[in-house]
Amino acid sequence: DVIDISLIKTDGINNTEIILEKEYKYSFNYQKKLIKLIKNLPKNQKDQILFTKKNEQFITNKFLQYIKIFLKNIKNKNDIDFIGLSGQTIIHNPLKKYSIQLGSGKDIYNKINIPVICNFRKKDLIHGGQGAPIGSFYHKSILNRVNKRACIINLGGIANITFSNIKNLISFDMGPANTLIDDLSYYFYKKNFEKNGLYASKGKNIKKILYKFNQDVFFKKNYPKSLDKNYFNLFFNELTLYEANDSIHTASMMTVSSIIQGLQLLKHKIEVVILTGGGRRNLFIKKKLRKILIKKNIKVTNIDNYGFNGDMVEAQMFGYLAVRSIKGLPLSLPSTTGVLTSQTGGTKYGKLIKN
């Protein structure tokens, strides 16, 4: 629903300075166009790749539009060494080891003459990884600065966790975060998201659906593991048959259950859960998490309380990954994506003037 752009200065290890950040909302028509593209995806991988490349230009153009607007806030664009482009995820298929993000780094470089680093997941996928979660090292750098006895849980469409200590860096997808909740909010109320968990707080749990959800094979798998945001769509279809607030309440409890099961799978002692991403604003989910985790002496807080904008962490992350890519530093490990050996990554367009 938005594009986030962050200007940072970083060494790609521990030092990151956030200089300027902006959020630009997509129009309703553009969102509809994106959803239509995803719904019309062919079934097999080869046809999906051909179809998405054929329909990539409108996404590239949208990125270009907002990058140019963002650049107007900067006195000298020559101060920017390069752009780290995440791309628009269209499909992520960890079972078949491929992931499609659209937005042409080459076209963006040709139009604005700032080098672009993109395709951060490609090398990981080639070497046996799942290509996600890809932001583990940036989350690790934040944990090193704010609390080494904590984990970061990103509540985007899917929930993912990062934990690090001296010996380990662990990341994996936990389950749905906002994807089912947002889809149900739109289905029932024509709202893009569930503000503050208000609908959920008025509903009650549909026990048989939550039970079925908790039996899904995904939760039995050990990490590393990742998800496509549409993996749990079966439950969306089932939940639409029930009363609106009960459906949204149950979807919200699915998110809570995913997080609790993921923390149990982690098997490392933590003192604080740091939430980032849009789902950190969901008061219903936070209240339920706190009620469960306080019994384990685990505090739940937002990343904003450490001086970070929780809406912008992912944008910062891809700038950080771009620097790691230029330096040839790892972006993924066997313990973060399941890749066979640690891998750097990224495709580069344009001449890199500075290092």
Side-chain angles (χ1 to χ4, degrees):
D1 54 356
V2 300
I3 180 171
D4 299 321
I5 305 181
S6 181
L7 176 62
I8 66 169
K9 182 177 181 179
T10 181
D11 62 0
I13 304 171
N14 279 323
N15 299 317
T16 299
E17 177 189 353
I18 299 158
I19 300 167
L20 178 68
E21 298 182 312
K22 297 283 184 181
E23 176 186 277
Y24 302 98
K25 291 186 177 180
Y26 288 147
S27 69
F28 179 67
N29 286 337
Y30 181 78
Q31 290 181 53
K32 280 175 62 179
K33 201 170 180 180
L34 265 181
I35 291 166
K36 184 179 178 181
L37 173 64
I38 294 168
K39 283 186 175 179
N40 289 337
L41 272 178
K43 296 295 183 185
N44 68 75
Q45 180 182 352
K46 183 178 178 181
D47 290 341
Q48 285 174 353
I49 292 169
L50 291 172
F51 176 79
T52 50
K53 282 297 176 186
K54 183 180 176 182
N55 291 278
E56 181 176 43
Q57 195 60 50
F58 82 94
I59 293 173
T60 301
N61 291 344
K62 185 60 67 174
F63 288 167
L64 271 168
Q65 175 189 344
Y66 287 121
I67 290 170
K68 287 176 181 177
I69 293 170
F70 183 82
L71 289 174
K72 291 178 181 178
N73 297 283
I74 299 165
K75 289 181 180 178
N76 185 2
K77 81 170 191 176
N78 291 326
D79 289 340
I80 300 174
D81 295 321
F82 38 80
I83 294 170
L85 180 71
S86 77
Q88 175 68 55
T89 297
I90 300 300
I91 187 170
H92 178 71
N93 191 329
L95 292 177
K96 295 188 176 179
K97 299 292 178 75
Y98 74 96
S99 188
I100 298 175
Q101 286 75 38
L102 296 186
S104 170
K106 183 178 181 180
D107 285 358
I108 291 171
Y109 165 68
N110 287 337
K111 288 286 172 52
I112 61 175
N113 202 31
I114 296 175
V116 176
I117 296 94
C118 55
N119 297 332
F120 293 98
R121 306 170 197 272
K122 184 177 179 180
K123 197 169 182 183
D124 179 87
L125 289 159
I126 289 171
H127 289 86
Q130 297 185 29
I134 201 67
S136 310
F137 280 95
Y138 185 55
H139 287 168
K140 174 184 169 69
S141 75
I142 293 174
L143 290 170
N144 285 345
R145 291 164 63 182
V146 303
N147 193 326
K148 292 184 180 179
R149 296 184 178 181
C151 68
I152 289 176
I153 296 180
N154 175 41
L155 299 179
I158 295 295
N160 61 65
I161 184 172
T162 300
F163 167 84
S164 70
N165 58 22
I166 294 171
K167 294 182 179 180
N168 301 286
L169 176 59
I170 296 167
S171 291
F172 57 92
D173 284 350
M174 307 174 91
N178 302 320
T179 181
L180 288 173
I181 301 167
D182 290 350
D183 288 351
L184 288 165
S185 297
Y186 189 80
Y187 179 84
F188 287 113
Y189 294 110
K190 295 297 180 283
K191 300 289 185 182
N192 286 333
F193 60 93
E194 155 57 325
K195 188 173 182 179
N196 295 329
L198 184 62
Y199 300 138
S201 66
K202 295 178 179 179
K204 60 182 183 295
N205 200 23
I206 306 166
K207 291 182 180 179
K208 65 179 181 180
I209 291 186
L210 185 60
Y211 175 82
K212 181 180 176 182
F213 171 83
N214 285 329
Q215 302 310 305
D216 191 273
V217 65
F218 176 79
F219 299 113
K220 308 294 188 291
K221 293 179 181 177
N222 199 2
Y223 59 79
K225 55 182 178 177
S226 63
L227 282 169
D228 183 79
K229 74 182 290 288
N230 296 315
Y231 178 88
F232 287 105
N233 266 5
L234 165 67
F235 292 98
F236 169 79
N237 296 330
E238 290 188 19
L239 287 167
T240 58
L241 303 176
Y242 291 83
E243 194 276 329
N245 291 341
D246 292 350
S247 298
I248 295 170
H249 178 105
T250 305
S252 301
M253 289 307 299
M254 289 176 175
T255 298
V256 172
S257 180
S258 297
I259 293 169
I260 297 302
Q261 290 188 73
L263 288 171
Q264 290 170 346
L265 191 63
L266 185 62
K267 295 178 182 175
H268 285 275
K269 183 173 175 55
I270 57 169
E271 295 177 358
V272 183
V273 167
I274 302 173
L275 302 179
T276 186
R280 78 194 189 286
R281 293 199 188 94
N282 189 308
L283 301 182
F284 177 85
I285 287 173
K286 281 173 65 177
K287 181 180 178 181
K288 292 294 182 181
L289 281 175
R290 281 173 172 155
K291 186 176 180 180
I292 297 168
L293 293 177
I294 196 170
K295 297 173 184 176
K296 303 176 185 292
N297 295 315
I298 298 173
K299 178 184 175 184
V300 178
T301 189
N302 285 350
I303 200 165
D304 309 70
N305 294 325
Y306 296 96
F308 291 85
N309 182 338
D311 292 326
M312 292 290 176
V313 169
E314 196 148 340
Q316 298 158 16
M317 181 178 84
F318 280 96
Y320 178 91
L321 292 181
V323 172
R324 290 187 70 85
S325 174
I326 295 303
K327 291 185 171 184
L329 295 171
L331 306 187
S332 59
L333 302 172
S335 58
T336 64
T337 65
V339 69
L340 296 175
T341 58
S342 67
Q343 295 295 324
T344 188
T347 303
K348 304 164 185 66
Y349 295 100
K351 184 179 179 181
L352 300 171
I353 298 170
K354 302 176 184 178
N355 260 319

